[in-house]
Amino acid sequence: PHLQRVDVSSVYRLTDLSMNALCSHCPHITWLSFRGCRRLSNRAVFLCIKFLDGLAHLDLGRCSQITDDGMCLLASGCHSLT
């Protein structure tokens, strides 16, 4: 799959397991928004770093389970963000 832009904002049932499937099967994503997906945790951030080498945009707004640790992980591991 050559999906590059994904907006799953406010999909309340989206979980880290869902993100694993998305990121591992669609590695060409460069723009991703999961704003308001309150079930996602730092694991989702890890998955983005692990699978999405070309990720340039990531919207994590209102993701209350993503902590400072997740943001530090993102800052240290995802160098393609603009």
Side-chain angles (χ1 to χ4, degrees), residues 3-51:
L3 195 60
Q4 293 182 336
R5 186 178 175 107
V6 178
D7 187 343
V8 289
S9 299
S10 299
V11 177
Y12 300 112
R13 293 183 175 221
L14 192 71
T15 65
D16 292 338
L17 186 61
S18 306
M19 285 302 295
N20 184 51
L22 177 67
C23 292
S24 65
H25 289 95
C26 300
H28 301 290
I29 293 173
T30 59
W31 192 100
L32 178 59
S33 176
F34 47 87
R35 170 179 281 278
C37 295
R38 295 184 181 130
R39 292 179 140 191
L40 295 180
S41 71
N42 294 337
R43 176 85 179 145
V45 173
F46 169 77
L47 294 167
C48 288
I49 293 167
K50 180 178 179 180
F51 292 111

Side-chain angles (χ1 to χ4, degrees), residues 42 45 49 60 66-77:
N42 294 337
V45 173
I49 293 167
L60 305 172
I66 296 176
T67 66
D68 290 346
D69 290 340
M71 297 308 292
C72 288
L73 181 65
L74 185 65
S76 65

